């Protein structure tokens, strides 16, 4: 059955975790959830901040990405760094010191980066300003793009008046013009160049995350007060990623930071922060323990870890360090975006049951998309969870709606026949979690407490696969008796191999057709004839089938969004060129080795399609050690699309294609139409070159797919499991993408209707 029982969030660009209204306003609390820290969070309300840390945090995140994209934060070129520092000290700081306090201007990007890095060392910056100018110089609180543009242009005007001989934008300079600059400031800038990597997680710019981070930062300041008052408490606290980010954001506004922390004294020696000595394992453990004692919640949670660079989420999501490109696929109404979120489930409390405790266990399930998921936790040997313990760690699609924790009792007493009795159950929905305090929700599961915490959902790569369908005619109608009767038995002209494109939830999104024959079929008189190579065009239709009278027969969608046309070739050249209507050109060469290039005729940008799973799609050592030979054999089925990148010498992988299964995973910046056409053109060409039906194109009937909602593609990821459906699909594609009906790729045992044309017609079109 092909229908969308697992529809993605209605707003593809921003899932339901986003909030409207004031950026600094905390989300409303759900009646069905409660924070674990209602009793402990009262004190932080007395620690107010004069800076809108939510809006400032969002701008801080964008600024780090901007500097990374412009290579300003890369201090690899020492002459450029010294030039920027000299411009900062000799030109910018004297200029800003002379201007009125309410002057809203922003310096050139290279100077702005140095200024930002200097502000993050609050003690040094404050002493520097007081010694040179007799006052603390603040950064203007500008939090929107329009005001940023105005402030930059206003600064350009003032700069050109103040320094007529000095360019505003400087990219390079002569060696003679480069001064040494302050070595202290140079060290600070060097230290800060890793900030864009440390804080590159996409969800960090989401309002709901920043609201929670601000609240936790205020709690962190409250703990620092206690550290000051109690001599027995550990000397330094270790900030976690979200707290660290907001702390640096707060420091980037020196006057507001100095005012807000005046009563607390200098914090630098109390926090194991960015500029000081690295935190020790003892300090990290003591901070976690201290936090849980005061606030009754785990310190580390999804999206809130000590070191994000080594977090498993970075491996699962494959985030880029630079700003994400726009989703170009929003124009396709039937193609819904996917959203992924990291979820952690914690337990705490004493286990109290009347039954035999040795037969007690907990089960985790999701509300939708993966009814087969049952993660059991045996708690027969555990009498209590004295502190919050993370029991389950998984990555879910937003379409799963939420999780369900069941408390169950094993009645059978036999391990081979498990009959269980449900004791208690409680559900946590993602919409409830979005409204809960600090992205945390706690409910009772029997006699113990269950806590669920998650990151805001972020857009994930698209997943599509092409499945066999019936042959169609020139008009897009299936070749069958149902259509003939509807057309008063007028013969259907033309023959096209057809594939239906399904998304991750099994919904029909596109129909792709390849022309193989012309003419009509009439019993005993006429049969369809093959077309020439240059006439074997590929058409891509957007939408789903229009079925006739409740049957499985019907018409392809009328809207054609792209075509791929083969150019007339010379067999001696060992080269095939496909022209795509999207303005791209696909070139396939195989003289010495297989080389595939995709070039856009307008932008002249070139991308390479390389055999195998490359870059982030490579199987890790754990998977290779399990079955090294199988992974190597399967690698020839995959092709990775590599585009050039300014930030990575090896380029960036934006799409992965399994040619045998006609399955695709691609980032939102890649056009689905281009990739589907490229995939079909590639399999057509290579099948002919190798004289082998590589993707089962000879199959010309509809294949029954797995039931929607039972085990939807990519709905759940468990990094630590060996179950194929809970891993990345490209580790076990044949199992994850298996159809309910076994496909005979040769089609030899299947008797097709004579009206479709002879078997030789299709073999000639595919293999010769």
């Amino acid at each position: 059955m092909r229908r969308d029982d697992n529809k993605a969030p209605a707003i593809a660009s921003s899932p339901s975790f986003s909030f409207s209204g004031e950026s600094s306003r905390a989300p409303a609390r759900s009646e069905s959830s409660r924070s674990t820290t209602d009793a402990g969070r009262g004190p932080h309300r007395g620690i107010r901040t004069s800076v809108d840390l939510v809006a400032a945090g969002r701008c801080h995140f964008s600024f780090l990405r901007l500097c990374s994209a412009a290579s300003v934060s890369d201090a690899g070129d020492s002459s450029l760094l010294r030039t920027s520092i000299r411009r900062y000290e000799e030109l910018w700081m004297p200029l800003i010191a002379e201007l009125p306090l309410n002057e809203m201007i922003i310096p050139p990007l290279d100077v702005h980066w140095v200024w930002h890095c200097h502000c993050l060392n609050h003690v040094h910056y404050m002493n520097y300003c007081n010694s040179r100018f007799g006052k603390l110089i603040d950064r203007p609180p500008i939090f929107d793009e329009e005001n940023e543009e105005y402030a930059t242009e206003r600064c350009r005007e003032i700069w050109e008046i103040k320094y007529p001989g000095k360019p505003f934008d400087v990219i390079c300079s002569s060696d003679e013009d480069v001064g040494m600059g302050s070595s202290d400031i140079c060290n600070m800038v060097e230290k800060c160049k890793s900030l864009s990597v440390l804080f590159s997680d996409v969800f960090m710019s989401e309002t709901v995350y920043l609201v929670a981070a601000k609240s936790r930062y205020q709690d962190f300041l409250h703990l620092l007060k206690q550290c000051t008052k109690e001599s027995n408490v550990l000397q330094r606290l270790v900030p976690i990623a979200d707290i660290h980010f907001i702390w640096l954001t707060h420091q980037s506004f020196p006057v507001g930071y100095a005012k807000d922390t005046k009563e607390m004294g200098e914090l630098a020696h109390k926090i194991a922060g960015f500029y000081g000595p690295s935190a020790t394992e003892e300090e990290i453990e003591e901070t976690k323990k201290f936090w849980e004692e005061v606030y009754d919640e785990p310190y580390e949670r999804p999206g809130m870890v000590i070191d994000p660079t080594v977090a498993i989420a970075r491996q699962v999501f494959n985030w880029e360090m630079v700003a994400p490109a726009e989703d170009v696929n929003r124009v396709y109404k039937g193609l819904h975006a996917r959203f992924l979120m990291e979820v952690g489930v914690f337990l705490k409390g004493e286990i109290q049951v009347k039954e035999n405790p040795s037969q007690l266990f907990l089960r985790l399930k999701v509300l939708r998309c993966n009814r087969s998921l049952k993660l059991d936790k045996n708690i027969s040997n555990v009498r209590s969870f004295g502190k919050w313990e993370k029991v389950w760690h998984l990555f879910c699609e937003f379409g799963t709606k939420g999780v369900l924790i069941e408390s169950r009792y094993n009645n059978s007493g036999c391990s081979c026949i498990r009959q269980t009795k449900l004791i208690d159950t409680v559900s946590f929905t993602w919409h409830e979690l979005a409204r809960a305090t600090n992205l945390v929700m706690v409910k009772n599961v029997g006699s113990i407490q269950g806590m669920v915490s998650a990151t805001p959902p972020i857009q994930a790569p698209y997943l599509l696969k092409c499945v066999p369908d019936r042959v169609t005619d020139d008009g897009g109608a299936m070749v069958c008796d149902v259509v003939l009767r509807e057309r008063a038995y007028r013969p259907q002209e033309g023959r096209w191999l057809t594939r239906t494109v399904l998304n991750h939830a099994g919904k029909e999104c596109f129909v792709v057709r390849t022309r193989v024959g012309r003419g009509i079929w009439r019993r005993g008189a006429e049969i369809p004839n093959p077309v020439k190579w240059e006439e074997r065009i590929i058409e891509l239709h957007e939408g789903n089938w229009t079925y006739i009278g409740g049957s499985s027969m019907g018409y392809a969608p009328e809207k054609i969004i792209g075509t791929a046309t083969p150019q007339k070739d010379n067999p001696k050249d060992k080269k095939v060129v496909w022209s795509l209507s999207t303005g791209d050109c696909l070139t396939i060469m195989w003289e010495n080795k297989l080389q595939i290039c995709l070039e856009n005729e307008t932008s002249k940008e070139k991308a390479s399609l390389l055999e195998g799973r490359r870059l982030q799609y490579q199987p890790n050592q754990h998977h290779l050690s399990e079955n090294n030979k199988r992974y190597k054999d399967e690698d020839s089925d995959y092709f990775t699309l590599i585009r050039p990148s300014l930030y990575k010498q090896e380029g960036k992988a934006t799409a992965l294609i399994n040619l045998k299964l006609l399955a695709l995973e691609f980032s939102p910046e890649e056009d689905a139409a281009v990739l589907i056409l490229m995939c079909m053109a590639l399999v057509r060409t290579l099948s002919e070159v190798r004289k082998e039906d590589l993707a089962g194109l000879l199959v010309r009937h509809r294949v029954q797919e797995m039931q929607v909602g039972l085990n939807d593609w990519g709905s759940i990821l468990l990094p630590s499991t060996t179950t194929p459906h809970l891993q990345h699909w490209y580790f076990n594609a044949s199992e994850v993408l298996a159809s309910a009906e076994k496909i005979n790729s040769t089609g030899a045992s299947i008797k097709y209707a004579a009206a479709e044309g002879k078997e030789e017609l299709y073999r000639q079109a595919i293999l010769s």
Side-chain angles (χ1 to χ4, degrees), residues 28 42 47 78 138 165 181 193 213 218 224 269 291 333 368 385 414 418 517 551 604 610 638 665 708 743 767:
I47 303 174
S78 59
D138 201 12
K193 69 180 182 179
Q218 292 173 313
L224 286 175
H269 67 280
W291 179 277
K333 295 180 180 179
R368 290 187 64 184
F385 296 95
C414 176
R418 194 166 189 179
S551 69
K604 301 301 180 182
L610 305 180
Y638 292 90
E665 174 178 320
V708 173
I743 302 176
L767 305 178

Side-chain angles (χ1 to χ4, degrees), residues 54 57-58 204-215 245-246:
V54 174
R58 190 181 299 109
M204 294 190 75
S205 63
E206 294 290 330
T207 299
V208 64
Y209 181 89
L210 293 170
V211 168
K214 174 188 174 182
S215 177
F245 178 72
I246 296 296

Side-chain angles (χ1 to χ4, degrees), residues 413-707:
C414 176
S415 59
C416 56
I417 304 176
R418 194 166 189 179
Q419 298 176 352
T420 64
K421 171 187 175 184
L422 180 64
I423 300 175
D424 195 11
T425 181
V426 62
S427 63
F428 301 79
T429 68
W430 306 143
H431 289 288
E432 285 180 321
L433 188 60
R435 298 190 297 269
T437 305
N438 288 350
L439 292 175
V440 169
M441 190 162 48
V442 177
K443 296 182 180 181
N444 291 328
V445 187
S447 60
I448 60 177
Q449 289 182 309
M451 172 192 289
V452 173
S453 178
T455 61
I458 65 164
Q459 187 165 359
Y462 286 96
L463 299 174
L464 297 177
K465 68 172 181 176
C466 305
V467 297
D469 222 319
R470 295 183 66 95
V471 174
T472 52
D473 61 18
D474 288 343
M478 292 182 180
V479 177
C480 61
D481 292 340
V482 176
V483 174
L484 278 175
R485 283 195 298 269
E486 191 178 62
R487 293 180 174 181
Y489 292 95
R490 186 174 69 252
Q492 295 179 256
E493 188 167 355
R495 294 297 181 266
W496 297 64
L497 269 175
T498 306
R499 291 293 181 268
T500 300
V501 183
L502 307 179
N503 69 358
H504 61 283
K507 180 189 174 184
E508 298 172 358
C509 300
F510 305 98
V511 174
V512 58
R513 308 192 309 134
T514 304
R515 191 182 184 200
V516 297
R518 65 159 61 90
I520 63 173
W521 178 86
R522 186 176 286 119
R523 190 182 302 275
E526 298 181 58
I527 59 173
N529 297 311
V531 296
K532 297 178 182 179
W533 164 258
E534 58 271 21
E535 294 177 345
R536 297 174 186 175
I537 64 173
I538 301 172
E539 287 184 352
L540 181 63
H541 302 244
E542 180 191 355
N544 55 339
W545 290 91
T546 301
Y547 294 105
I548 301 173
S551 69
S552 60
M553 308 297 174
Y555 299 87
E558 294 183 1
K559 185 177 181 181
I560 300 176
I561 58 173
T563 60
T565 305
Q567 297 181 7
K568 194 170 183 177
D569 67 324
N570 184 348
K572 296 181 180 180
D573 291 342
K574 294 187 177 181
K575 172 183 174 181
V576 170
V577 178
W578 290 80
S579 296
L580 277 60
S581 61
T582 56
D584 297 278
C585 182
L586 178 67
T587 304
I588 306 171
M589 297 176 289
W590 61 90
E591 185 170 2
N592 297 320
K593 64 176 183 178
L594 184 62
Q595 293 180 292
I596 307 169
C597 176
L598 180 68
E599 181 178 2
N600 187 276
E601 297 174 352
T602 304
S603 65
K604 301 301 180 182
E605 180 184 351
K606 289 186 178 181
S608 300
L609 199 62
L610 305 180
E611 271 192 289
R613 291 164 283 194
R614 306 297 184 96
L615 299 181
Q616 71 262 26
Y617 297 116
Q618 286 181 311
N620 55 38
Q621 293 301 318
H622 171 70
H623 291 97
L624 289 175
S625 61
E626 287 183 343
N627 199 332
N628 193 15
K629 185 179 183 303
R630 179 171 67 86
Y631 280 111
K632 287 184 177 180
D633 292 342
E634 291 179 351
D635 218 36
S636 59
D637 298 335
Y638 292 90
F639 287 84
T640 306
L641 184 64
I642 307 289
R643 291 197 178 273
S645 172
L646 295 174
Y647 324 106
K648 294 182 178 180
Q649 186 177 2
E650 68 273 20
K652 61 177 181 178
T654 56
L656 180 70
I657 299 173
N658 184 303
L659 209 61
K660 184 177 181 179
L661 300 173
L662 294 180
L664 305 92
E665 174 178 320
F666 56 95
S667 66
E669 65 189 275
E670 289 289 348
D671 191 335
V674 173
L675 292 180
I676 296 171
L677 291 171
M678 180 181 68
C679 179
M680 293 303 299
L682 179 61
V683 73
R684 282 282 319 281
T685 303
L686 294 185
S687 292
E688 182 176 341
V689 170
R690 298 174 182 177
K691 306 300 180 183
E692 178 186 357
D693 184 9
L694 298 178
L697 295 180
L698 289 174
V699 178
R700 306 187 298 280
H701 71 282
R702 175 160 291 192
V703 176
Q704 183 180 358
E705 294 297 312
M706 290 292 184
Q707 185 181 358

Side-chain angles (χ1 to χ4, degrees), residues 289-304:
K289 181 180 178 182
F290 191 28
W291 179 277
E292 185 166 339
E293 286 177 355
V294 176
Y295 296 118
D296 190 26
E297 70 174 25
Y299 192 46
E300 282 195 293
R301 304 206 309 260
M304 303 171 182

Side-chain angles (χ1 to χ4, degrees), residues 21 36 52 164 190 199 263 278 285 308 313 321 328-329 351 386-387 401 419 483 576 583 597 611 616 679 685 738:
T36 60
D52 183 352
E190 286 276 2
F199 303 120
E263 297 180 358
S278 300
E285 292 304 318
M321 291 183 292
V328 300
N329 297 289
I351 300 172
K387 62 178 183 178
K401 300 300 182 183
Q419 298 176 352
V483 174
V576 170
C597 176
E611 271 192 289
Q616 71 262 26
C679 179
T685 303

Side-chain angles (χ1 to χ4, degrees), residues 704-741:
Q704 183 180 358
E705 294 297 312
M706 290 292 184
Q707 185 181 358
V708 173
L710 179 64
N711 207 341
D712 287 355
W713 183 12
S715 58
I716 300 291
L717 287 176
L718 277 177
S720 59
T721 187
T722 57
T723 305
H725 284 85
L726 301 180
Q727 296 178 317
H728 283 296
W729 68 274
Y730 45 83
F731 292 154
N732 297 278
S734 58
E735 295 183 53
V736 175
L737 301 180
S739 301
E741 174 185 346

